[in-house]
Amino acid sequence: MSLPRLCIVATGGTIAGVGARPQATQAYAAAALDVAGLCATVPGLGEVARIAAEQFAAIDSKNATPAFWQSLAARLQQLLDDPGVDGVVVTHGTDTLEETAYYLHLVLKTDKPVVMVGAMRPATALSADGPLNLLDAATVAAAPGAAGRGVLVTLNHQIFGAREVAKTNANRPDAFASPNAGAMGLVQDGRVTWLARPERPHTASTPFTAATPLAPVEVVAGYAGGSAALIEAVPATGAHGLVWAGPGNGSASNEALAALERLCGAGLAVVRASRTGSGCVAASGRLPGAGTLSPWKARVLLMLVLGAGAEGTQAVQTAFDTY
Ligand code: ASP
């Protein structure tokens, strides 16, 4: 049986990071190693798949932008449309990996495996996690059963769905989790074990593509004693939408709630989400709820939904109930 053909698309991040000392796990330059250097750190890659590799970008993912998401999606779509490519692996910084992953999960038109991977330690660190994470990601992309699950994220022997995955720790290699759903699978010793499938429409089953415009949306957080002035300032930024990252069940102080409802009444798309990291925020009053999406992912969906032309709170709520 011939090996699947995978393309590794490198975008930078700590997985391609270079530090001055082997114990440097926080002080290093992200995105310093090119894709050839990255692949060279992974013995056995060629036994998992026939590998092509390309350098798409070399950024720290803290600097990712919606324009970056769109151009990455356009390039991945070209690769995925190529009958000579069976799947792609995207190396990416971990800081905003979950935002890029959910965006790609909503816009790529494919059933082929798309696996994103990063690392918490730079390539030069003792016990660097990147090489095994990358080998695991290629193993997942080459595995029977990887197709049709939308965009997957593999780190630390776990496979996560793009919609549910979140970075939940600032430093440790076990930084990723899906607090509401658990892992979608495990990859260990070259073997993949599937545990779950995505429940919601994704990739080929959504109306969104890499060409869907992204409307500007801001996130404002709620906290004790927070002023409503930041909420009131959002329309002047040019934003078409606002995600409220509220405490608890996406709650807002009386003052903040009044400001959110005022802006919603004036035509700004407002969605309530929770800053807690898990749980579900239902619609309340006239403000739509983000459901189980984090504020950051609610922003991604709202950007797409508004960019695709949705109008009114009911249309926004329907999108959040669907995706
Ligand atoms: N700041 C880095 C990035 O997101 C962190 C990492 O990759 O782990 O690119």
Side-chain angles (χ1 to χ4, degrees):
M1 203 181 66
S2 67
L3 291 174
R5 294 153 300 181
L6 299 181
C7 187
I8 296 178
V9 178
T11 71
T14 292
I15 194 167
V18 172
R21 296 177 305 144
Q23 62 269 56
T25 58
Q26 304 300 313
Y28 57 87
L33 201 61
D34 69 12
V35 69
L38 202 56
C39 291
T41 65
V42 188
L45 203 49
E47 290 157 34
V48 168
R50 282 177 282 165
I51 302 286
E54 72 177 48
Q55 191 78 43
F56 174 79
I59 63 167
D60 186 316
S61 77
K62 69 185 181 186
N63 295 319
T65 62
F68 165 78
W69 300 340
Q70 287 175 311
S71 57
L72 176 61
R75 177 59 189 143
L76 294 179
Q77 191 64 59
Q78 282 174 342
L79 289 168
L80 292 161
D81 288 343
D82 181 343
V85 173
D86 296 316
V88 299
V89 172
V90 181
T91 67
H92 194 287
T94 61
D95 286 355
T96 63
L97 193 153
E98 68 211 63
E99 294 169 57
T100 306
Y102 186 46
Y103 171 76
L104 295 174
H105 185 67
L106 291 172
V107 306
L108 291 176
K109 301 296 126 199
T110 188
D111 282 335
K112 294 179 183 175
V114 177
V115 182
M116 297 188 67
V117 62
M120 292 298 290
R121 294 176 177 152
T124 46
L126 273 182
S127 298
D129 52 334
L132 185 52
N133 283 350
L134 183 50
L135 185 59
D136 282 348
T139 302
V140 171
R149 291 174 190 268
V151 173
L152 301 172
V153 174
T154 297
L155 282 99
N156 206 38
H157 300 301
Q158 289 174 290
I159 307 162
F160 301 102
R163 186 183 186 279
E164 315 295 345
V165 70
K167 184 173 181 178
T168 59
N169 185 274
N171 318 106
R172 296 195 310 255
D174 65 337
F176 281 73
S178 290
N180 273 325
M184 196 172 279
L186 305 172
V187 51
Q188 194 87 46
D189 290 13
R191 266 195 307 278
V192 173
T193 304
W194 296 108
L195 299 171
R197 297 194 72 85
E199 283 291 332
R200 305 229 182 181
H202 56 78
T203 54
S205 305
T206 80
F208 312 118
T209 71
T212 303
L214 288 168
V217 172
E218 298 293 341
V219 179
V220 180
Y223 43 86
S227 135
L230 288 177
I231 299 171
E232 303 279 10
V234 166
T237 67
H240 298 183
L242 184 166
V243 175
W244 174 248
N249 181 32
S251 69
S253 68
N254 294 345
E255 188 191 349
L257 187 60
L260 292 168
E261 290 189 331
R262 198 159 50 243
L263 292 184
C264 178
L268 189 76
V270 177
V271 172
R272 286 171 46 246
S274 173
R275 68 177 202 191
T276 61
S278 61
C280 183
V281 177
S284 137
R286 42 205 293 212
L287 300 181
T292 52
L293 288 178
S294 68
W296 337 114
K297 288 189 180 166
R299 173 175 175 259
V300 171
L301 180 57
L302 191 56
M303 292 170 86
L304 275 168
V305 166
L306 297 177
E311 280 177 27
T313 54
Q314 193 47 54
V316 169
Q317 186 62 63
T318 299
F320 276 82
D321 291 342
T322 305
Y323 305 108

